Amino acid sequence: MTTTRGRIDKRQAILEGAFTVFAREGYAQACVQKIAQEAGVAKPTVYNHMTDKATLFRHAMEAAARTVLDERIAALEPLADPGADLRATLEEVAHALLRLHTDGRSCALRRLLFSEITHFPDLLEIVQDSGPDRLRQALADRLARLALTGRLRTTDPDLTAEQFLALLLGPLEARTRLGTRTLPDPELRTMAGDTVESFLRAWGAA
Amino acid sequence: MTTTRGRIDKRQAILEGAFTVFAREGYAQACVQKIAQEAGVAKPTVYNHMTDKATLFRHAMEAAARTVLDERIAALEPLADPGADLRATLEEVAHALLRLHTDGRSCALRRLLFSEITHFPDLLEIVQDSGPDRLRQALADRLARLALTGRLRTTDPDLTAEQFLALLLGPLEARTRLGTRTLPDPELRTMAGDTVESFLRAWGAA
DNA sequence: CTTATGTTGAACCCATGAGTTCAGAAACTA
DNA sequence: TAGTTTCTGAACTCATGGGTTCAACATAAG
Protein backbone atom coordinates (compact mmCIF):
# COMPACT_ATOMS: atom_id res chain seq x y z
CA MET A 1 0.00 0.00 0.00
CA THR A 2 0.89 3.67 -0.03
CA THR A 3 2.42 3.48 -3.49
CA THR A 4 2.38 7.24 -3.62
CA ARG A 5 2.69 7.86 -7.32
CA GLY A 6 1.23 10.64 -9.35
CA ARG A 7 -2.41 11.41 -8.79
CA ILE A 8 -3.54 11.36 -12.38
CA ASP A 9 -3.46 7.59 -12.67
CA LYS A 10 -5.13 6.87 -9.35
CA ARG A 11 -8.31 6.78 -11.35
CA GLN A 12 -6.81 4.23 -13.71
CA ALA A 13 -5.64 2.08 -10.83
CA ILE A 14 -9.09 2.23 -9.29
CA LEU A 15 -10.77 1.14 -12.50
CA GLU A 16 -8.38 -1.75 -12.98
CA GLY A 17 -8.62 -2.86 -9.38
CA ALA A 18 -12.37 -2.60 -9.54
CA PHE A 19 -12.58 -4.79 -12.60
CA THR A 20 -10.26 -7.34 -11.04
CA VAL A 21 -12.34 -7.61 -7.89
CA PHE A 22 -15.68 -7.50 -9.68
CA ALA A 23 -14.45 -10.26 -11.95
CA ARG A 24 -13.37 -12.37 -9.02
CA GLU A 25 -16.33 -11.81 -6.71
CA GLY A 26 -19.23 -10.58 -8.80
CA TYR A 27 -20.90 -7.21 -8.43
CA ALA A 28 -22.85 -7.71 -5.23
CA GLN A 29 -20.16 -9.67 -3.41
CA ALA A 30 -17.37 -7.26 -4.28
CA CYS A 31 -16.96 -4.72 -1.51
CA VAL A 32 -15.50 -1.30 -2.11
CA GLN A 33 -13.02 -1.84 0.69
CA LYS A 34 -11.37 -4.67 -1.21
CA ILE A 35 -11.45 -2.75 -4.45
CA ALA A 36 -9.62 0.13 -2.81
CA GLN A 37 -7.11 -2.29 -1.36
CA GLU A 38 -6.60 -4.00 -4.74
CA ALA A 39 -6.01 -0.60 -6.32
CA GLY A 40 -3.58 0.42 -3.55
CA VAL A 41 -5.81 3.26 -2.49
CA ALA A 42 -7.94 4.31 0.45
CA LYS A 43 -11.67 3.83 0.40
CA PRO A 44 -12.57 7.55 0.47
CA THR A 45 -10.32 8.03 -2.54
CA VAL A 46 -12.52 5.69 -4.47
CA TYR A 47 -15.53 7.82 -3.60
CA ASN A 48 -13.58 10.91 -4.59
CA HIS A 49 -13.41 9.62 -8.14
CA MET A 50 -16.69 7.73 -8.39
CA THR A 51 -19.93 8.73 -6.78
CA ASP A 52 -21.33 5.23 -6.45
CA LYS A 53 -20.45 1.60 -6.42
CA ALA A 54 -22.76 1.38 -9.40
CA THR A 55 -21.00 4.02 -11.45
CA LEU A 56 -17.68 2.56 -10.43
CA PHE A 57 -18.90 -0.69 -11.89
CA ARG A 58 -20.08 0.98 -15.08
CA HIS A 59 -16.81 2.77 -15.66
CA ALA A 60 -14.76 -0.31 -14.89
CA MET A 61 -16.80 -2.36 -17.34
CA GLU A 62 -16.54 0.30 -19.98
CA ALA A 63 -12.78 0.52 -19.66
CA ALA A 64 -12.36 -3.25 -19.78
CA ALA A 65 -14.66 -3.51 -22.77
CA ARG A 66 -12.69 -0.93 -24.70
CA THR A 67 -9.40 -2.76 -24.39
CA VAL A 68 -10.96 -6.11 -25.18
CA LEU A 69 -12.64 -4.76 -28.28
CA ASP A 70 -9.50 -3.14 -29.63
CA GLU A 71 -7.62 -6.41 -29.39
CA ARG A 72 -10.32 -8.25 -31.24
CA ILE A 73 -10.64 -5.79 -34.08
CA ALA A 74 -6.88 -5.87 -34.47
CA ALA A 75 -7.00 -9.64 -34.78
CA LEU A 76 -8.94 -9.29 -38.02
CA GLU A 77 -6.11 -7.38 -39.63
CA PRO A 78 -4.65 -10.28 -41.66
CA LEU A 79 -7.92 -10.51 -43.58
CA ALA A 80 -7.35 -7.06 -45.03
CA ASP A 81 -4.76 -8.54 -47.33
CA PRO A 82 -4.97 -12.33 -47.32
CA GLY A 83 -2.20 -13.97 -49.21
CA ALA A 84 -2.69 -16.71 -51.75
CA ASP A 85 -3.76 -19.13 -49.05
CA LEU A 86 -7.13 -17.88 -47.85
CA ARG A 87 -7.64 -20.91 -45.69
CA ALA A 88 -4.44 -20.34 -43.79
CA THR A 89 -5.29 -16.70 -43.23
CA LEU A 90 -8.75 -17.59 -41.96
CA GLU A 91 -7.28 -20.16 -39.62
CA GLU A 92 -4.81 -17.65 -38.31
CA VAL A 93 -7.54 -15.11 -37.62
CA ALA A 94 -9.79 -17.78 -36.12
CA HIS A 95 -7.06 -18.93 -33.82
CA ALA A 96 -6.30 -15.39 -32.70
CA LEU A 97 -9.97 -14.77 -31.97
CA LEU A 98 -10.22 -17.97 -29.98
CA ARG A 99 -7.27 -17.00 -27.85
CA LEU A 100 -8.68 -13.57 -27.19
CA HIS A 101 -12.10 -14.97 -26.45
CA THR A 102 -10.75 -17.44 -23.92
CA ASP A 103 -8.66 -14.83 -22.18
CA GLY A 104 -9.43 -14.33 -18.52
CA ARG A 105 -10.38 -10.68 -18.90
CA SER A 106 -12.65 -11.43 -21.79
CA CYS A 107 -14.40 -14.26 -19.99
CA ALA A 108 -14.84 -12.18 -16.87
CA LEU A 109 -16.23 -9.31 -18.88
CA ARG A 110 -18.81 -11.50 -20.55
CA ARG A 111 -19.75 -13.15 -17.29
CA LEU A 112 -20.22 -9.84 -15.52
CA LEU A 113 -22.15 -8.39 -18.41
CA PHE A 114 -24.40 -11.40 -18.55
CA SER A 115 -25.04 -11.57 -14.85
CA GLU A 116 -25.70 -7.88 -14.23
CA ILE A 117 -27.53 -7.12 -17.43
CA THR A 118 -30.85 -7.01 -15.61
CA HIS A 119 -29.59 -4.55 -13.01
CA PHE A 120 -27.58 -2.43 -15.46
CA PRO A 121 -29.47 -2.44 -18.74
CA ASP A 122 -27.39 0.47 -19.99
CA LEU A 123 -24.33 -1.76 -20.00
CA LEU A 124 -25.73 -3.28 -23.13
CA GLU A 125 -25.20 -0.11 -25.11
CA ILE A 126 -21.90 0.63 -23.44
CA VAL A 127 -20.36 -2.79 -23.87
CA GLN A 128 -22.27 -4.91 -26.31
CA ASP A 129 -22.62 -2.37 -29.10
CA SER A 130 -18.92 -1.79 -28.97
CA GLY A 131 -18.24 -5.52 -28.62
CA PRO A 132 -19.63 -8.40 -30.66
CA ASP A 133 -21.62 -6.08 -32.89
CA ARG A 134 -18.62 -4.08 -33.99
CA LEU A 135 -16.57 -7.22 -34.40
CA ARG A 136 -19.19 -8.76 -36.64
CA GLN A 137 -19.43 -5.54 -38.58
CA ALA A 138 -15.69 -5.40 -39.11
CA LEU A 139 -15.57 -9.04 -40.13
CA ALA A 140 -18.48 -8.54 -42.52
CA ASP A 141 -16.55 -5.75 -44.18
CA ARG A 142 -13.57 -8.01 -44.72
CA LEU A 143 -15.72 -10.83 -46.05
CA ALA A 144 -17.49 -8.48 -48.44
CA ARG A 145 -14.15 -7.58 -50.00
CA LEU A 146 -13.34 -11.25 -50.37
CA ALA A 147 -16.70 -11.86 -52.01
CA LEU A 148 -16.10 -9.05 -54.46
CA THR A 149 -12.81 -10.55 -55.55
CA GLY A 150 -14.48 -13.90 -55.96
CA ARG A 151 -12.73 -15.70 -53.13
CA LEU A 152 -15.95 -16.32 -51.26
CA ARG A 153 -19.41 -16.87 -52.64
CA THR A 154 -21.84 -15.03 -50.45
CA THR A 155 -24.45 -12.42 -51.11
CA ASP A 156 -24.95 -11.54 -47.47
CA PRO A 157 -21.68 -10.70 -45.73
CA ASP A 158 -23.43 -9.87 -42.47
CA LEU A 159 -25.04 -13.28 -42.24
CA THR A 160 -21.80 -14.94 -43.29
CA ALA A 161 -19.83 -13.09 -40.64
CA GLU A 162 -22.41 -13.96 -38.02
CA GLN A 163 -22.20 -17.62 -38.94
CA PHE A 164 -18.42 -17.65 -38.97
CA LEU A 165 -18.32 -16.21 -35.48
CA ALA A 166 -21.05 -18.52 -34.24
CA LEU A 167 -19.28 -21.55 -35.64
CA LEU A 168 -16.02 -20.45 -34.11
CA LEU A 169 -17.07 -19.18 -30.71
CA GLY A 170 -20.23 -21.14 -30.02
CA PRO A 171 -18.45 -24.35 -29.00
CA LEU A 172 -16.26 -22.43 -26.57
CA GLU A 173 -18.96 -22.13 -23.95
CA ALA A 174 -19.26 -25.85 -23.46
CA ARG A 175 -15.58 -26.64 -24.00
CA THR A 176 -14.29 -24.11 -21.53
CA ARG A 177 -17.00 -25.06 -19.07
CA LEU A 178 -18.36 -21.54 -19.10
CA GLY A 179 -14.92 -20.07 -18.90
CA THR A 180 -13.73 -22.05 -15.90
CA ARG A 181 -11.32 -24.20 -17.86
CA THR A 182 -8.49 -22.98 -20.06
CA LEU A 183 -8.03 -24.84 -23.30
CA PRO A 184 -4.62 -26.00 -24.45
CA ASP A 185 -3.40 -24.23 -27.55
CA PRO A 186 -3.47 -27.33 -29.78
CA GLU A 187 -7.18 -27.69 -29.06
CA LEU A 188 -7.70 -24.08 -30.11
CA ARG A 189 -5.84 -24.82 -33.34
CA THR A 190 -8.08 -27.79 -33.98
CA MET A 191 -11.19 -25.75 -33.33
CA ALA A 192 -9.99 -23.03 -35.68
CA GLY A 193 -9.27 -25.64 -38.33
CA ASP A 194 -12.65 -27.33 -37.95
CA THR A 195 -14.42 -24.00 -38.13
CA VAL A 196 -12.63 -22.87 -41.26
CA GLU A 197 -13.13 -26.28 -42.84
CA SER A 198 -16.89 -26.12 -42.47
CA PHE A 199 -17.02 -22.43 -43.24
CA LEU A 200 -15.21 -22.86 -46.54
CA ARG A 201 -17.31 -25.86 -47.40
CA ALA A 202 -20.39 -23.70 -47.06
CA TRP A 203 -19.11 -20.38 -48.39
CA GLY A 204 -15.78 -21.02 -50.11
CA ALA A 205 -15.32 -20.34 -53.79
CA ALA A 206 -15.65 -23.40 -55.95
CA MET B 1 -51.01 -15.74 1.14
CA THR B 2 -51.96 -18.49 3.57
CA THR B 3 -52.92 -20.87 0.78
CA THR B 4 -53.04 -23.72 3.23
CA ARG B 5 -52.75 -26.63 0.86
CA GLY B 6 -51.19 -30.00 1.42
CA ARG B 7 -47.73 -29.98 2.94
CA ILE B 8 -46.06 -32.21 0.43
CA ASP B 9 -45.86 -29.60 -2.27
CA LYS B 10 -44.66 -26.78 -0.04
CA ARG B 11 -41.22 -27.86 -1.08
CA GLN B 12 -42.13 -27.63 -4.73
CA ALA B 13 -43.62 -24.18 -4.25
CA ILE B 14 -40.47 -23.05 -2.48
CA LEU B 15 -38.23 -24.29 -5.27
CA GLU B 16 -40.30 -22.60 -7.93
CA GLY B 17 -40.58 -19.37 -6.02
CA ALA B 18 -36.87 -19.45 -5.34
CA PHE B 19 -36.01 -19.84 -9.00
CA THR B 20 -38.39 -17.05 -9.94
CA VAL B 21 -36.84 -14.63 -7.48
CA PHE B 22 -33.27 -15.70 -8.17
CA ALA B 23 -33.92 -15.24 -11.87
CA ARG B 24 -35.33 -11.79 -11.31
CA GLU B 25 -32.82 -10.49 -8.78
CA GLY B 26 -29.72 -12.60 -9.00
CA TYR B 27 -28.35 -14.77 -6.21
CA ALA B 28 -26.91 -12.15 -3.89
CA GLN B 29 -29.73 -9.64 -4.31
CA ALA B 30 -32.48 -12.19 -3.79
CA CYS B 31 -33.50 -12.26 -0.16
CA VAL B 32 -35.07 -15.28 1.45
CA GLN B 33 -37.92 -13.15 2.72
CA LYS B 34 -39.05 -12.42 -0.82
CA ILE B 35 -38.59 -16.00 -1.89
CA ALA B 36 -40.84 -17.14 0.92
CA GLN B 37 -43.39 -14.53 -0.05
CA GLU B 38 -43.22 -15.54 -3.71
CA ALA B 39 -43.79 -19.16 -2.71
CA GLY B 40 -46.69 -18.19 -0.43
CA VAL B 41 -44.88 -19.48 2.63
CA ALA B 42 -43.32 -18.16 5.81
CA LYS B 43 -39.59 -17.64 6.07
CA PRO B 44 -38.99 -20.30 8.75
CA THR B 45 -40.76 -22.78 6.52
CA VAL B 46 -38.12 -22.21 3.89
CA TYR B 47 -35.45 -23.05 6.44
CA ASN B 48 -37.42 -26.12 7.45
CA HIS B 49 -36.90 -27.54 3.99
CA MET B 50 -33.52 -26.09 3.08
CA THR B 51 -30.65 -25.56 5.46
CA ASP B 52 -29.10 -22.67 3.59
CA LYS B 53 -29.72 -20.00 1.05
CA ALA B 54 -26.93 -21.69 -0.89
CA THR B 55 -28.51 -25.14 -0.91
CA LEU B 56 -31.85 -23.57 -1.69
CA PHE B 57 -30.18 -22.04 -4.72
CA ARG B 58 -28.62 -25.34 -5.74
CA HIS B 59 -31.87 -27.24 -5.51
CA ALA B 60 -33.80 -24.56 -7.35
CA MET B 61 -31.27 -24.56 -10.15
CA GLU B 62 -31.26 -28.31 -10.35
CA ALA B 63 -35.03 -28.48 -10.60
CA ALA B 64 -35.16 -25.78 -13.26
CA ALA B 65 -32.38 -27.44 -15.25
CA ARG B 66 -34.17 -30.75 -15.26
CA THR B 67 -37.35 -29.39 -16.82
CA VAL B 68 -35.44 -27.32 -19.36
CA LEU B 69 -33.37 -30.28 -20.44
CA ASP B 70 -36.34 -32.58 -20.89
CA GLU B 71 -38.01 -30.12 -23.21
CA ARG B 72 -34.93 -29.80 -25.34
CA ILE B 73 -34.29 -33.49 -25.72
CA ALA B 74 -37.92 -33.94 -26.68
CA ALA B 75 -37.52 -31.34 -29.41
CA LEU B 76 -35.08 -33.63 -31.21
CA GLU B 77 -37.73 -36.29 -31.60
CA PRO B 78 -38.63 -35.57 -35.24
CA LEU B 79 -35.08 -36.48 -36.26
CA ALA B 80 -35.64 -40.04 -35.11
CA ASP B 81 -37.69 -40.64 -38.20
CA PRO B 82 -37.23 -37.80 -40.68
CA GLY B 83 -39.54 -38.02 -43.65
CA ALA B 84 -38.45 -37.62 -47.22
CA ASP B 85 -37.69 -33.96 -46.66
CA LEU B 86 -34.67 -33.87 -44.38
CA ARG B 87 -34.31 -30.12 -44.75
CA ALA B 88 -37.84 -29.51 -43.52
CA THR B 89 -37.32 -31.78 -40.54
CA LEU B 90 -34.07 -30.07 -39.62
CA GLU B 91 -35.74 -26.69 -39.87
CA GLU B 92 -38.56 -27.86 -37.65
CA VAL B 93 -36.14 -29.11 -35.00
CA ALA B 94 -34.02 -25.99 -35.31
CA HIS B 95 -37.01 -23.77 -34.85
CA ALA B 96 -38.18 -25.71 -31.81
CA LEU B 97 -34.73 -25.46 -30.25
CA LEU B 98 -34.61 -21.74 -30.87
CA ARG B 99 -37.94 -21.23 -29.19
CA LEU B 100 -36.88 -23.27 -26.19
CA HIS B 101 -33.54 -21.52 -26.00
CA THR B 102 -35.13 -18.08 -26.00
CA ASP B 103 -37.64 -19.02 -23.35
CA GLY B 104 -37.52 -16.91 -20.22
CA ARG B 105 -36.76 -19.81 -17.91
CA SER B 106 -33.99 -21.03 -20.14
CA CYS B 107 -32.39 -17.61 -20.40
CA ALA B 108 -32.63 -17.06 -16.69
CA LEU B 109 -31.10 -20.45 -16.01
CA ARG B 110 -28.14 -19.77 -18.26
CA ARG B 111 -27.66 -16.32 -16.83
CA LEU B 112 -27.70 -17.57 -13.25
CA LEU B 113 -25.42 -20.46 -14.07
CA PHE B 114 -22.98 -18.18 -15.81
CA SER B 115 -22.94 -15.56 -13.11
CA GLU B 116 -22.65 -17.85 -10.10
CA ILE B 117 -20.37 -20.45 -11.62
CA THR B 118 -17.39 -19.11 -9.66
CA HIS B 119 -19.22 -19.29 -6.34
CA PHE B 120 -20.95 -22.62 -7.05
CA PRO B 121 -18.55 -24.68 -9.14
CA ASP B 122 -20.58 -27.80 -8.47
CA LEU B 123 -23.45 -26.33 -10.46
CA LEU B 124 -21.44 -27.20 -13.53
CA GLU B 125 -21.86 -30.90 -12.96
CA ILE B 126 -25.43 -30.55 -11.81
CA VAL B 127 -26.63 -28.38 -14.65
CA GLN B 128 -24.20 -28.29 -17.52
CA ASP B 129 -23.54 -32.00 -17.82
CA SER B 130 -27.25 -32.59 -17.96
CA GLY B 131 -27.75 -29.61 -20.29
CA PRO B 132 -25.86 -28.73 -23.46
CA ASP B 133 -23.68 -31.81 -23.25
CA ARG B 134 -26.57 -34.23 -23.19
CA LEU B 135 -28.30 -32.29 -25.92
CA ARG B 136 -25.26 -32.45 -28.16
CA GLN B 137 -24.91 -36.12 -27.38
CA ALA B 138 -28.50 -36.82 -28.30
CA LEU B 139 -28.22 -34.79 -31.48
CA ALA B 140 -25.00 -36.56 -32.41
CA ASP B 141 -26.79 -39.88 -32.10
CA ARG B 142 -29.48 -38.73 -34.51
CA LEU B 143 -26.97 -37.37 -36.97
CA ALA B 144 -24.98 -40.60 -36.85
CA ARG B 145 -28.06 -42.52 -37.95
CA LEU B 146 -28.56 -40.08 -40.78
CA ALA B 147 -24.95 -40.48 -41.84
CA LEU B 148 -25.31 -44.26 -41.85
CA THR B 149 -28.26 -44.06 -44.20
CA GLY B 150 -26.34 -41.72 -46.46
CA ARG B 151 -28.41 -38.62 -45.87
CA LEU B 152 -25.50 -36.71 -44.37
CA ARG B 153 -21.83 -36.98 -45.17
CA THR B 154 -19.94 -36.75 -41.95
CA THR B 155 -17.42 -38.98 -40.25
CA ASP B 156 -17.62 -37.19 -36.92
CA PRO B 157 -21.17 -36.86 -35.64
CA ASP B 158 -20.04 -35.21 -32.42
CA LEU B 159 -18.29 -32.41 -34.25
CA THR B 160 -21.19 -32.08 -36.65
CA ALA B 161 -23.69 -31.83 -33.83
CA GLU B 162 -21.53 -29.28 -32.07
CA GLN B 163 -21.35 -27.16 -35.19
CA PHE B 164 -25.06 -27.42 -35.87
CA LEU B 165 -25.84 -26.17 -32.39
CA ALA B 166 -23.21 -23.47 -32.56
CA LEU B 167 -24.52 -22.24 -35.89
CA LEU B 168 -28.06 -22.26 -34.57
CA LEU B 169 -27.66 -20.89 -31.07
CA GLY B 170 -24.56 -18.76 -31.36
CA PRO B 171 -26.27 -15.80 -33.03
CA LEU B 172 -28.95 -15.78 -30.35
CA GLU B 173 -26.75 -14.10 -27.79
CA ALA B 174 -26.32 -10.95 -29.84
CA ARG B 175 -29.78 -10.98 -31.37
CA THR B 176 -31.64 -11.32 -28.09
CA ARG B 177 -29.31 -8.78 -26.50
CA LEU B 178 -28.18 -11.37 -23.95
CA GLY B 179 -31.71 -12.54 -23.39
CA THR B 180 -33.25 -9.16 -22.71
CA ARG B 181 -35.16 -8.99 -25.96
CA THR B 182 -37.65 -11.54 -27.24
CA LEU B 183 -37.43 -12.34 -30.91
CA PRO B 184 -40.52 -12.45 -33.10
CA ASP B 185 -41.33 -15.89 -34.40
CA PRO B 186 -40.68 -15.04 -38.07
CA GLU B 187 -37.12 -14.08 -37.16
CA LEU B 188 -36.66 -17.42 -35.44
CA ARG B 189 -37.92 -19.13 -38.60
CA THR B 190 -35.43 -17.19 -40.68
CA MET B 191 -32.60 -18.09 -38.33
CA ALA B 192 -33.56 -21.76 -38.44
CA GLY B 193 -33.65 -21.61 -42.22
CA ASP B 194 -30.28 -19.89 -42.50
CA THR B 195 -28.72 -22.38 -40.13
CA VAL B 196 -30.03 -25.42 -41.97
CA GLU B 197 -29.04 -23.89 -45.30
CA SER B 198 -25.42 -23.50 -44.28
CA PHE B 199 -25.42 -26.77 -42.39
CA LEU B 200 -26.59 -28.74 -45.38
CA ARG B 201 -24.19 -26.95 -47.66
CA ALA B 202 -21.35 -28.14 -45.45
CA TRP B 203 -22.63 -31.57 -44.45
CA GLY B 204 -25.57 -32.47 -46.69
CA ALA B 205 -25.45 -35.44 -49.00
CA ALA B 206 -24.57 -34.60 -52.56
C1' DC C 1 -59.59 -35.74 22.67
C1' DT C 2 -54.69 -35.95 22.35
C1' DT C 3 -50.32 -35.88 20.62
C1' DA C 4 -46.95 -35.04 17.08
C1' DT C 5 -45.58 -32.63 13.27
C1' DG C 6 -45.48 -28.64 10.29
C1' DT C 7 -46.70 -23.72 9.55
C1' DT C 8 -46.97 -18.95 10.72
C1' DG C 9 -45.80 -14.15 11.86
C1' DA C 10 -43.21 -11.34 14.43
C1' DA C 11 -39.47 -10.20 16.76
C1' DC C 12 -34.82 -10.80 17.46
C1' DC C 13 -29.37 -11.23 16.94
C1' DC C 14 -25.61 -10.34 14.34
C1' DA C 15 -22.47 -9.83 10.38
C1' DT C 16 -21.61 -7.35 6.33
C1' DG C 17 -20.92 -3.51 3.75
C1' DA C 18 -22.23 1.19 1.43
C1' DG C 19 -21.27 5.71 2.11
C1' DT C 20 -19.58 9.62 5.26
C1' DT C 21 -16.85 12.35 8.36
C1' DC C 22 -12.63 14.18 9.99
C1' DA C 23 -8.15 15.22 11.37
C1' DG C 24 -3.79 14.73 9.73
C1' DA C 25 -0.28 13.67 6.09
C1' DA C 26 1.59 14.03 1.34
C1' DA C 27 2.36 16.34 -2.60
C1' DC C 28 1.95 19.75 -6.00
C1' DT C 29 1.86 25.03 -6.85
C1' DA C 30 3.65 29.42 -6.57
C1' DT D 1 7.72 28.93 2.57
C1' DA D 2 2.71 29.18 2.43
C1' DG D 3 -1.45 27.61 0.34
C1' DT D 4 -4.24 24.40 -2.09
C1' DT D 5 -5.55 20.04 -3.43
C1' DT D 6 -5.65 15.25 -2.88
C1' DC D 7 -4.92 11.08 -0.21
C1' DT D 8 -5.17 8.38 4.00
C1' DG D 9 -6.78 5.61 7.88
C1' DA D 10 -9.85 5.03 11.22
C1' DA D 11 -14.01 5.42 13.13
C1' DC D 12 -18.82 6.07 12.46
C1' DT D 13 -23.98 5.68 10.79
C1' DC D 14 -27.29 3.10 8.91
C1' DA D 15 -29.74 -0.18 6.02
C1' DT D 16 -30.00 -4.83 4.50
C1' DG D 17 -30.50 -9.42 5.10
C1' DG D 18 -29.16 -14.37 6.79
C1' DG D 19 -30.54 -17.24 10.19
C1' DT D 20 -32.97 -18.24 14.72
C1' DT D 21 -36.33 -18.26 18.39
C1' DC D 22 -40.87 -18.59 20.16
C1' DA D 23 -45.55 -18.69 21.11
C1' DA D 24 -49.83 -19.42 18.77
C1' DC D 25 -52.09 -22.18 15.27
C1' DA D 26 -53.48 -25.78 11.88
C1' DT D 27 -53.68 -30.43 10.60
C1' DA D 28 -53.39 -35.37 10.62
C1' DA D 29 -53.11 -39.75 13.07
C1' DG D 30 -54.21 -42.69 16.91
Side-chain angles (χ1 to χ4, degrees):
Chain A
M1 72 291 292
T2 71
T3 63
T4 322
R5 306 208 321 262
R7 270 75 180 281
I8 313 103
D9 46 15
K10 282 277 164 69
R11 183 190 181 91
Q12 190 59 27
I14 290 172
L15 288 179
E16 285 176 13
F19 184 77
T20 301
V21 176
F22 281 135
R24 194 171 53 226
E25 322 253 1
Y27 175 74
Q29 286 86 347
C31 70
V32 179
Q33 187 71 257
K34 277 206 186 143
I35 291 175
Q37 180 180 333
E38 177 80 28
V41 139
K43 188 162 71 145
T45 304
V46 174
Y47 285 100
N48 270 0
H49 290 260
M50 306 286 172
T51 67
D52 253 341
K53 187 183 177 184
T55 64
L56 171 59
F57 181 63
R58 265 183 265 263
H59 284 112
M61 289 290 280
E62 193 175 354
R66 207 186 314 275
T67 67
V68 165
L69 172 66
D70 291 345
E71 292 171 336
R72 290 211 271 220
I73 297 287
L76 298 182
E77 203 46 39
L79 279 182
D81 179 25
D85 195 346
L86 177 59
R87 175 182 296 260
T89 306
L90 281 172
E91 282 181 2
E92 181 190 345
V93 168
H95 181 250
L97 285 176
L98 281 178
R99 277 203 316 160
L100 290 174
H101 209 76
T102 53
D103 173 58
R105 280 181 88 80
S106 186
C107 286
L109 182 68
R110 281 207 318 286
R111 181 169 58 247
L112 282 171
L113 181 62
F114 208 174
S115 53
E116 301 306 327
I117 193 62
T118 53
H119 301 81
F120 297 89
D122 51 316
L123 278 184
L124 210 52
E125 301 162 22
I126 298 175
V127 178
Q128 187 81 351
D129 287 345
S130 66
D133 288 357
R134 277 250 273 282
L135 180 67
R136 186 181 47 73
Q137 194 68 31
L139 179 59
D141 291 344
R142 304 299 190 200
L143 297 184
R145 305 293 285 254
L146 292 173
L148 271 184
T149 57
R151 306 187 68 174
L152 285 181
R153 48 178 168 83
T154 170
T155 56
D156 188 342
D158 284 303
L159 175 63
T160 310
E162 186 183 44
Q163 290 193 342
F164 178 82
L165 291 174
L167 213 45
L168 180 67
L169 305 177
L172 273 185
E173 189 174 305
R175 295 221 189 183
T176 65
R177 300 267 146 196
L178 295 178
T180 59
R181 181 187 292 174
T182 66
L183 299 181
D185 203 67
E187 184 170 352
L188 294 186
R189 289 245 172 244
T190 304
M191 291 179 68
D194 290 342
T195 294
V196 172
E197 169 69 25
S198 295
F199 178 77
L200 286 180
R201 225 188 282 186
W203 303 102
Chain B
M1 71 285 302
T2 73
T3 61
T4 322
R5 306 209 318 267
R7 270 74 179 282
I8 314 101
D9 47 14
K10 281 279 163 68
R11 184 190 181 91
Q12 190 60 25
I14 289 172
L15 289 180
E16 286 176 14
F19 184 78
T20 301
V21 176
F22 281 134
R24 195 171 53 224
E25 321 254 359
Y27 175 75
Q29 286 86 348
C31 70
V32 179
Q33 186 71 257
K34 278 208 186 137
I35 291 175
Q37 181 180 333
E38 177 81 28
V41 141
K43 189 162 70 146
T45 305
V46 174
Y47 286 100
N48 269 1
H49 290 260
M50 307 286 172
T51 67
D52 253 341
K53 186 184 179 185
T55 64
L56 171 58
F57 181 63
R58 265 183 264 264
H59 284 113
M61 290 290 280
E62 192 175 354
R66 206 187 315 276
T67 68
V68 166
L69 172 67
D70 290 345
E71 293 171 336
R72 290 211 271 219
I73 297 287
L76 298 182
E77 204 45 41
L79 279 181
D81 178 24
D85 194 347
L86 176 59
R87 175 182 295 262
T89 306
L90 280 173
E91 284 182 0
E92 180 191 347
V93 169
H95 181 250
L97 285 176
L98 282 178
R99 277 203 315 162
L100 291 174
H101 209 76
T102 53
D103 173 59
R105 280 182 89 80
S106 186
C107 287
L109 182 67
R110 282 208 318 287
R111 181 169 58 247
L112 282 171
L113 181 62
F114 208 174
S115 53
E116 302 305 327
I117 193 61
T118 53
H119 301 81
F120 297 89
D122 50 315
L123 278 185
L124 210 52
E125 300 162 23
I126 297 176
V127 178
Q128 187 81 351
D129 287 345
S130 66
D133 288 357
R134 276 251 272 283
L135 180 66
R136 185 181 47 72
Q137 194 68 34
L139 179 59
D141 291 344
R142 304 299 190 199
L143 296 185
R145 306 293 286 255
L146 292 173
L148 272 183
T149 57
R151 307 188 66 175
L152 286 180
R153 47 180 169 83
T154 171
T155 55
D156 188 341
D158 284 303
L159 175 63
T160 311
E162 187 183 43
Q163 291 194 341
F164 180 82
L165 291 174
L167 214 45
L168 180 68
L169 305 176
L172 273 186
E173 189 173 304
R175 296 221 189 185
T176 65
R177 301 265 144 196
L178 295 177
T180 59
R181 181 187 291 176
T182 66
L183 298 180
D185 203 68
E187 185 170 351
L188 295 186
R189 289 247 171 240
T190 304
M191 291 179 68
D194 290 341
T195 295
V196 172
E197 169 69 25
S198 295
F199 178 78
L200 285 180
R201 228 188 282 184
W203 303 102

